[in-house]
């Protein structure tokens, strides 16, 4: 029996890491992930994939490490001996990066350099090619210079997070051209799912919708509602990551839907799905404004479609429904797809009218 290809994923416990793990396992890979040591477990997104590590069926393994610790990264690389590395780990919340700029830049920017150096040294000593994927971000375009944004659009980062991502992007290109590493940048536009972190605006909205319907929440506080984003489905986007590392030559790709929607339009879609008006529940809170805002992001995925054969499978409305359905199911509610929209509306109105106390 042929030996499984080994892949190493940083950020394996995140949204993208969990979906990528599922994809790679379905393709017969042995998957290794790097997780940070904490006092509590944070593996909820991947627990369903994990089996007894002593079982002959075990193909998912976790290792303690951190992108700020180059020595440990090198040790893990030596132990695992992967042929593909996906760098998805980061302090990835843009607003938080303004509050923790030094840590964000160390993990997001310097972390890429540490990995690239570890790969370069490993390849030099072993002669084994390691293919590297660097998770870029549409936030690198920031104050956009072209509409839509493509692989040739100049970057104009507007946060510590996006500045660090730009650094990682160019280091990836530098190591590809200087040392002939197979290193790719995926410039991924916003991609969401039921596994999106609860502090990100899309998941914050869909989770609030479910909790409002359930009578557990009565208001939702948000910042800039006019910001426009190109939103896709995370499961589609991790497929693009894998495709990049299967090509004959390394290159950089924009992954996007080519359509943009405002946060107001996301609110419309999510609340309308349960027959509610978002304006009855959403309140403005200046704490959620960034010091410098990114107003419009819309990607041009033409290159990915042509060279990778990649296409998104879920549209904007479908994505919103997937997320709302999942958040409603998670708290024991029947979803709108069960034709209970009028019942939901009546339940919410009844709770509002009787002044039910909610948290």
């Amino acid at each position: 029996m042929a030996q499984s290809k080994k892949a190493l994923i940083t950020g394996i416990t995140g949204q993208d890491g969990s979906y990528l793990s599922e994809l790679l396992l379905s393709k017969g890979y042995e998957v290794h992930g790097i997780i940070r040591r904490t006092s509590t477990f944070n593996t909820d997104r991947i627990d369903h994939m994990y089996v007894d590590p002593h079982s002959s069926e075990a193909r998912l393994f976790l290792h303690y490490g951190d992108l700020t610790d180059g020595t440990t990264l090198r040790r893990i690389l030596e132990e695992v001996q992967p042929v593909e590395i996906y760098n998805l780990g980061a302090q990835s919340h843009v607003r938080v990066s303004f509050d923790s700029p030094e840590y964000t830049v160390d993990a997001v920017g310097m972390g890429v350099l540490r990995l690239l150096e570890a790969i370069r040294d490993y390849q030099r000593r072993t002669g084994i090619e390691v293919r590297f994927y660097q998770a870029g971000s549409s936030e690198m375009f920031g104050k956009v210079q072209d509409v839509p944004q493509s692989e040739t659009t100049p970057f104009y980062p507007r946060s510590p997070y996006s500045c660090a991502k730009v650094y990682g992007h160019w280091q990836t290109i530098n190591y590809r051209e200087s040392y002939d590493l197979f290193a790719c940048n995926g410039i991924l536009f916003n991609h969401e799912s039921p596994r999106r972190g609860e502090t990100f605006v899309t998941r914050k909205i869909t989770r609030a919708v479910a909790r409002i319907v359930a009578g557990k929440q009565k208001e939702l506080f948000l910042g800039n509602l006019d910001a426009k984003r190109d939103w896709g489905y995370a499961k589609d986007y991790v497929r693009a990551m894998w495709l990049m590392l299967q090509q004959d030559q390394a290159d950089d790709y924009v992954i996007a839907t080519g359509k943009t929607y405002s946060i107001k339009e996301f609110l419309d879609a999510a609340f309308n799905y349960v027959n509610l008006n978002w304006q009855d529940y959403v309140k403005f809170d200046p704490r959620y404004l960034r010091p410098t805002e990114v107003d419009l992001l819309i990607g041009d995925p033409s290159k990915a479609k042509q060279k990778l054969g990649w296409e998104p499978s879920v549209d904007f409305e479908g994505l919103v429904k997937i997320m709302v359905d999942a958040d409603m199911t998670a708290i024991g509610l029947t979803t709108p797809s069960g034709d209970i929209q009028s019942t939901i509306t009546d339940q919410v109105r009844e709770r509002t009218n009787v002044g039910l106390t909610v948290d």
Side-chain angles (χ1 to χ4, degrees):
M1 183 176 178
Q3 187 176 12
S4 298
K5 292 173 71 173
K6 293 182 180 180
L8 178 64
I9 303 172
T10 70
I12 193 171
T13 59
Q15 168 188 257
D16 292 5
S18 65
Y19 283 125
L20 179 61
S21 296
E22 288 178 344
L23 176 68
L24 295 178
L25 288 170
S26 74
K27 293 182 178 297
Y29 281 70
E30 180 178 299
V31 178
H32 294 255
I34 297 178
I35 61 172
R36 286 178 290 179
R37 180 72 177 88
T38 62
S39 58
T40 57
F41 289 109
N42 183 31
T43 59
D44 293 353
R45 294 184 181 95
I46 59 173
D47 282 343
H48 65 285
M49 293 178 262
Y50 195 70
V51 297
D52 183 345
H54 302 295
S55 165
S56 59
E57 297 180 357
R59 289 189 291 118
L60 176 63
F61 304 89
L62 302 180
H63 308 263
Y64 286 122
D66 195 294
L67 287 168
T68 62
D69 181 358
T71 301
T72 302
L73 293 176
R74 288 172 181 266
R75 175 180 57 76
I76 294 172
L77 186 57
E78 293 286 343
E79 291 177 358
V80 174
Q81 298 183 349
V83 295
E84 295 177 6
I85 295 178
Y86 297 85
N87 183 33
L88 313 182
Q91 187 303 98
S92 59
H93 199 287
V94 176
R95 181 63 189 84
V96 171
S97 76
F98 286 98
D99 300 323
S100 300
E102 187 173 343
Y103 172 73
T104 299
V105 171
D106 192 16
V108 176
M110 291 300 295
V112 179
L113 181 63
R114 294 182 185 105
L115 274 172
L116 289 167
E117 270 294 285
I119 294 169
R120 182 173 76 92
D121 183 57
Y122 177 75
Q123 284 195 179
R124 179 181 57 80
R125 290 185 294 99
T126 66
I128 299 173
E129 181 185 66
V130 178
R131 298 192 166 202
F132 176 73
Y133 170 82
Q134 165 57 17
S137 170
S138 59
E139 289 284 337
M140 297 188 298
F141 294 119
K143 189 175 181 179
V144 297
Q145 305 300 291
D146 297 317
V147 179
Q149 294 89 56
S150 71
E151 293 81 4
T152 58
T153 301
F155 297 134
Y156 197 138
R158 304 262 287 173
S159 66
Y161 167 79
S162 55
C163 288
K165 280 293 186 183
V166 170
Y167 176 86
H169 176 93
W170 283 111
Q171 284 291 15
T172 299
I173 293 174
N174 181 44
Y175 273 67
R176 182 171 72 215
E177 296 179 350
S178 300
Y179 304 114
D180 198 29
L181 296 190
F182 193 104
C184 299
N185 286 296
I187 308 174
L188 272 59
F189 280 63
N190 292 62
H191 45 290
E192 320 296 319
S193 77
R195 299 181 191 174
R196 188 61 144 149
E198 294 172 358
T199 60
F200 290 85
V201 66
T202 52
R203 182 73 196 290
K204 191 174 177 181
I205 291 169
T206 61
R207 187 169 180 265
V209 167
R211 288 172 60 81
I212 288 168
V213 169
K216 295 178 182 239
Q217 183 173 334
K218 58 183 178 181
E219 292 179 322
L220 170 62
F221 294 93
L222 297 174
N224 180 12
L225 303 185
D226 295 317
K228 292 184 176 181
R229 295 292 184 269
D230 185 327
W231 277 304
Y233 186 31
K235 286 186 75 171
D236 288 336
Y237 285 50
V238 301
R239 179 164 43 88
M241 299 176 190
W242 177 78
L243 285 169
M244 290 180 208
L245 297 197
Q246 312 315 307
Q247 305 306 303
D248 292 333
Q249 292 188 344
D251 207 345
D252 309 318
Y253 298 88
V254 162
I255 305 299
T257 70
K259 297 180 180 179
T260 190
Y261 298 88
S262 68
I263 293 174
K264 283 181 181 177
E265 289 174 302
F266 197 102
L267 287 165
D268 277 335
F271 278 83
N272 287 346
Y273 187 44
V274 294
N275 277 349
L276 296 176
N277 182 354
W278 66 264
Q279 293 175 326
D280 294 334
Y281 304 96
V282 175
K283 310 295 182 185
F284 173 72
D285 190 333
R287 291 179 301 171
Y288 296 115
L289 295 176
R290 303 178 187 179
T292 49
E293 185 56 74
V294 173
D295 297 314
L296 170 65
L297 294 174
I298 177 172
D300 177 3
S302 300
K303 181 178 177 181
K305 291 181 178 182
Q306 178 185 356
K307 293 195 172 184
L308 302 179
W310 178 85
E311 292 273 358
S313 68
V314 176
D315 63 13
F316 175 73
E317 291 77 13
L319 172 64
V320 175
K321 290 179 181 179
I322 287 171
M323 294 179 68
V324 173
D325 281 350
D327 278 319
M328 293 185 70
T329 300
I331 56 176
L333 296 173
T334 305
T335 66
S337 55
D339 293 326
I340 59 159
Q341 291 189 8
S342 59
T343 305
I344 289 172
T345 306
D346 292 341
Q347 288 172 347
V348 176
R349 285 175 180 159
E350 181 180 351
R351 294 186 184 106
T352 304
N353 291 339
V354 300
L356 182 67
T357 302
V358 296
D359 41 57

